[in-house]
Structure formats: structure tokens, C-alpha cells
Amino acid sequence: MAASRYRRFLRLCEEWPVEDTKQRRDLGAFVRQRVAQAFREGENTPISDPEACDQMYESLVRIHTNFYKNKYPRLKDTTFTGVTLEDCRTILATDILKQMGDTKKGTWKRLREKFSAKKPEEDSK
């Protein structure tokens, strides 16, 4: 039985898209990592709680297939602020978040980083 569960999780990982714009924050990459950890021995991995494993798989399938999005369709494709899905994806991209983090720094800190020979991490120690 462990072999069939392992194959189902592998198939799910193959179907799950990886978003390159969300480096180290992508759900697809996280699922792949957790499956690799859970099934270290591949098909021969002993499963201590088969019911919990099947429940986890079914939950991931519902997320992947947009089960609840289809079950409860929205009237509009925007949020209460008027931001569209594509705008949210753009804003949540790793590059944009990094730029926003850089703009939050104070003027003194940016100048110090610019003219300092040491890395900023070394200054804080």
C-alpha cells in the first residue's frame, strides 16, 4: 500500500506547478520537499498512520484542483480594494518584495551600506 501512496504523491508533485516568481515561498516546491522528506525510502517507506496520509493527499488534491474556488465561485475577480489577481501576483513576486524591503530602510542605513566596506550583517553583531 505504501507504494501506491508514494506514486500518488509523486503524480501530484508532477502536476503541481512551480512559480519561479516566488523563490523560497512557493507552495509547489514546499510540497515536493515535504514529500521527499516523508518518503525517504521511496516505495519502501513504512507509513505509521495511513489514514492521516490519505487525508493529507486528499487535502492537497483539493487545493491543487481549486475545489473550493469552483464550489464557491466569486461574483467578481477583484478584492474589496479593487486589486485584480494579476496585480496580486505581481506584488507578491520575490523581486518586488525585495525592492519594497530596500525602500523601507532608512536613509542613514542605506548610506552606511553603500559606503561601508563591511557587509551590513557584520555591523549588527
Side-chain angles (χ1 to χ4, degrees):
M1 265 327 252
S4 65
R5 285 185 177 92
Y6 176 66
R7 281 188 238 117
R8 289 190 321 172
F9 273 100
L10 281 182
R11 195 173 327 114
L12 178 65
C13 288
E14 288 174 2
E15 293 173 3
W16 205 298
V18 175
E19 291 189 49
D20 295 330
T21 60
K22 294 182 180 178
Q23 299 162 350
R24 297 187 320 258
R25 297 178 300 117
D26 181 38
L27 183 59
F30 179 76
V31 168
R32 285 173 179 75
Q33 178 185 12
R34 290 299 302 248
V35 167
Q37 287 175 353
F39 292 97
R40 286 189 189 108
E41 299 173 26
E43 294 180 352
N44 299 326
T45 304
I47 298 175
S48 60
D49 191 359
E51 290 179 12
C53 181
D54 292 340
Q55 186 179 14
M56 181 65 70
Y57 175 77
E58 294 301 324
S59 296
L60 289 171
V61 167
R62 283 193 298 271
I63 292 171
H64 173 64
T65 59
N66 292 322
F67 177 80
Y68 292 105
K69 178 183 176 188
N70 297 331
K71 185 175 179 179
Y72 304 106
R74 298 180 64 156
L75 299 176
K76 297 180 181 178
D77 288 334
T78 60
T79 63
F80 73 96
T81 60
V83 177
T84 64
L85 177 64
E86 195 56 41
D87 292 338
C88 286
R89 284 191 177 135
T90 304
I91 291 169
L92 293 175
T94 302
D95 299 337
I96 301 298
L97 290 175
K98 193 173 192 178
Q99 288 176 359
M100 288 174 58
D102 290 342
T103 59
K104 287 183 181 178
K105 292 180 183 175
T107 306
W108 179 250
K109 189 169 186 172
R110 277 187 299 203
L111 286 172
R112 191 173 67 177
E113 287 176 0
K114 186 175 182 179
F115 294 109
S116 175
K118 293 188 266 180
K119 291 184 179 180
E121 295 88 30
E122 295 173 3
D123 282 347
S124 62
K125 291 182 181 178

